[in-house]
Amino acid sequence: MRRSVMTAVMMAVSVVAAAQAAELMADEIVAKANDASYYAGDDGRATVSMSLSDGRSRDFVILRKDVPGGLDQKFYVYFKAPADVRKMSYLVHKRPGKDDDRWLFLPALNLVKRIAPGDKRTSFVGSDFLYEDVSGRGLNEDTHELVETTETQYVVNNVPKDPGSVEFASYTVWIDKDTFLPRKAEYLDKNGKLYRRVSSEKIQTLQGYPTPTEQKVEDVARGTSTTITFSEIKYDIGLNDRIFTERFLRRPPREVTQ
Amino acid sequence: MRHSRWISILTALGCLIAYPVLADVSSALSDAGIEVHGFAEYRYGMRTQTDSLEDDISLNEARLQLDALCYHDLFTAELKGDLLYDDTVDNLEDIHLETGKGFFDLRQANVLFSPLDWMDVKLGRQVLTWGTGDLVFINDLFPKDWQSFFLGRDDEYLKAPSDALFVSLFPAFAGIDIAYTPRFDADRHISGEHISYWNGQQLAGEDSVLNTEPPDDWFTDDELAVRVYRNVGAYEMALYGYYGFWKSPGGMNPMTGKWLFPELAVYGASARGPLGGGIANVEAGYYDSGDDRDGDDPFINNSESRLLVGYEQEMAKDLTVGVQYYVEHMMEYDAYIDALDAMSMPTNSARDEDRHTVTLRVTWMLMNQNLILSCFTRYSPSDEDVYVKPVATYKVSDHWQASLGADLFAGSEDYTFLGQFENNSNIHASLRCSY
C-alpha cells in the first residue's frame, strides 16, 4: 500500500517534471525562433515591398540595430511609396516588456511627431501585417506548449496570458528545426476558428543567416492578404547608433536614400 | 476678372491629363538621380453663411505641386513649388514669393550638407517646425499660413516657408539648432483678403484689407531662433530662444493707421514623454514685447507668459484622443487697461488678462486606415468662442485621395480671437492625384 503510494507520487512528480521539461523546451524553441526571426546579426538593412490584395502597395527601407546586452532594438523606417507617405521616416526604440518609443517625421511640415503607444495588434501601414508581426511579440506574453515534433519541425501552441489584450484565443507556429525560423503561424479566434495565417514563402541564407525573403499574411476572415518581400538585405554593416535619433529622422541617412 | 468655377475645374483636369507626361519626365530624371513627385489637386470651399464682407465661395483652386529631390554624396537638394489657379483671386499674375501670392508658390528651395561630422547645414527656402503643441505654437515662431489653414487647405499649408540658414550642431551633450532668417518672414496672417476679421473697431473684409508695415531690411530686421535639446531616457527636453518680431500684426502705428510687427523675444522650454500609457507634453514661453515692456502703450502688444499642457492616448485600436490646456497670460494688465482708459478707447472689447483655451483632437482610422476621420476643437471659456475643424480623408487608391471638411467658428463677441471669424465658417472638398 505504502509502496504504491510512493510509486504514484514518484510517477506524478516525473509527469510534472516531464511536462515542465516540455514546457521549458517550448520556451527555448520560441526564444530561439524569436532570435532567428528578429535578431540576425548585430544590425541590418532591407528594402521592403508590400503588396496588398486590393492593389495598393507600400515600399520602404528598414534599418535595425540591436542594443548590446539585451533584447532592446532600434528600428528606422524610410517610406518611398505610395506618394502620401513618401519621404516620411519612422523611428522605433523597442523595449520588450514596455511600450515602444515611436516617432514619425512628416516632411511637408518638417514635424517630428511623437506617437502615443498603441495596440500592437493594429495594422501596420494599412496592410494585413500587424505592428507586432514587424517588430516581434514579447516572449512572456504567451504560454508556449510543444504539441508536436515532426522530422523537420517543432509545432508550438501559444496561448495569451492576458486574453483580453489580443484578438486571438491561441496560435500555432510551425518552426523549422534546422534554422529555428517559423514557417507558418495560424491564429484561432475565440470560437476556435482559423481566421489568420502568416507564412514564410521563401527563405534564403544570407551572410550565414537564414532569412525569410518573402512572407504572406492572409486574413482568412476578411478574404484579404498582403505579401511582403525583402531585398538588398545586408547584415552586420556597422550602423552608427546616431542614425536612430531625431537628427536622422529629420534628414534620412544615405543608408536609406541610396 | 472673376471666371467661372469651370475654369479651375478645367485647369485641374489639365493637370491630371498632364500626369502621364509628368510620369515620363519623372522617370527620365530619376535615371539622372533626381526624384520628381507631386500632385494635382482641385479644392472647392464655400461659406456656410453669408458674409457681407467676403465672397460666398471661399476656395476654388487647382494646384499642381512639383517636388524635385536630389540625393548626392555631398549634399541633398530640394526644389518644391506649387502652380496655382485660384478663381477667387483677381491678380494671379502678380507673383510674390514672400507671401505666396500669385500663380506660383515656392515652397522649398534648399541644399542640405554636412561640413563636419557633427554639423548639418540647410540653406535656402525651407519649412521649419519645432515644439510640442498640436496647432498651438509657443516656441515655434516660424511663419504660419493661418489664412490657408482656416480656408481648409491641406495641413501642409499651415506652415509657410522661411528663407533661412539652418545650422544643426550635435555635440555629445545635446542637439543645437540655430535658424537665422536674414529678413523677417511674417506669418501669412489673416488680412481680410479671404477671411474677414476684427480690425479693432469693427469687422472688416476684402474692401479694407489690413495695411501693414513689416520690418524688411536685410540683416537688420532679421530673426534668430535657437533650440537646445536632448533626450533623458524616453523624455525629450528642450530649451528655446527667439529674437525677432511678433509674427502676426502685434501693434498699430496710430499716426499712419498701419499695423506693425513690434520687436519680440521669446524664452521657453518644453518636455515630452510617455505617461500612463500615453504621451504627455508641457511647454512654456515668456514673450518679451520689447517695444512695450511697461504695458502702457495701448497700440503695442504687452509681454505675455504662455503655458501649454497636453496629453494624447490611443483609446482603442486606431482611435487616438488628444487634449490640451493652453493659457496666455498678459503681463502688466493694469497698465494696459489704464492706457486704454487714458486714450478713451473702449475697454469692453479689451483682452482678458488670461485667455484660457482647451483643445480636443479625435482621430479615427477606418477601412484599413484608408478612411481617416479627424476632428480638432479649440474652445476658449474666457473668450467664449470655439473653432471646430472636422476632416474626413479617404484614400481611394495609392494615387487618388478625396477629402471633405469644415472650418466652423462661433463666438459670443465679434472681437475675440476666434469669434471674429464667425462669418468665415466654411465647408470644403478636394480631390488629389499624387504621383
Side-chain angles (χ1 to χ4, degrees), chain A residues 84-221:
Chain A
D84 64 316
V85 296
R86 195 180 75 91
K87 293 199 292 174
M88 284 186 192
S89 41
Y90 181 54
L91 179 63
V92 179
H93 290 181
K94 171 181 145 185
R95 300 176 300 159
K98 293 181 189 160
D99 284 328
D100 294 349
D101 292 318
R102 306 188 290 175
W103 294 264
L104 181 67
F105 175 64
L106 306 171
L109 291 164
N110 191 12
L111 173 70
V112 173
K113 191 173 154 46
R114 186 82 183 243
I115 302 181
D119 186 334
K120 291 182 180 174
R121 304 218 40 94
T122 301
S123 161
F124 183 70
V125 293
S127 73
D128 292 297
F129 279 88
L130 304 182
Y131 185 78
E132 206 167 68
D133 296 325
V134 180
S135 70
R137 180 168 170 79
L139 294 175
N140 297 324
E141 293 185 63
D142 307 308
T143 55
H144 316 287
E145 187 195 354
L146 181 63
V147 290
E148 194 186 344
T149 304
T150 71
E151 205 169 298
T152 57
Q153 288 184 317
Y154 300 109
V155 185
V156 178
N157 190 45
N158 309 273
V159 178
K161 289 178 183 169
D162 176 10
S165 67
V166 290
E167 84 287 359
F168 58 81
S170 71
Y171 65 101
T172 304
V173 188
W174 284 259
I175 298 166
D176 279 356
K177 278 183 171 174
D178 55 347
T179 62
F180 280 97
L181 280 178
R183 272 285 172 174
K184 186 173 72 168
E186 289 189 339
Y187 293 76
L188 304 185
D189 65 17
K190 314 277 175 192
N191 301 318
K193 201 172 159 211
L194 172 75
Y195 73 94
R196 183 168 195 268
R197 184 185 295 121
V198 183
S199 49
S200 288
E201 308 277 298
K202 280 184 196 157
I203 291 177
Q204 288 174 269
T205 299
L206 304 166
Q207 294 175 247
Y209 301 105
T211 306
T213 54
E214 186 179 320
Q215 291 179 303
K216 188 176 183 183
V217 175
E218 293 160 89
D219 190 322
V220 181

Side-chain angles (χ1 to χ4, degrees), chain A residues 5-44:
Chain A
V5 168
M6 279 298 283
T7 314
V9 167
M10 282 181 71
M11 275 177 69
V13 166
S14 64
V15 166
V16 169
Q20 276 177 345
E23 196 171 284
L24 191 68
M25 188 157 176
D27 284 355
E28 249 171 55
I29 293 166
V30 171
K32 282 187 171 176
N34 187 57
D35 204 42
S37 302
Y38 298 102
Y39 292 87
D42 295 331
D43 62 25

Side-chain angles (χ1 to χ4, degrees), chain A residues 234-250:
Chain A
K234 285 199 186 84
Y235 293 110
D236 299 319
I237 44 181
L239 288 177
N240 196 316
D241 217 26
R242 67 184 187 186
I243 286 175
F244 302 88
T245 63
E246 182 177 331
R247 177 185 185 181
F248 286 93
L249 196 60
R250 285 178 183 266

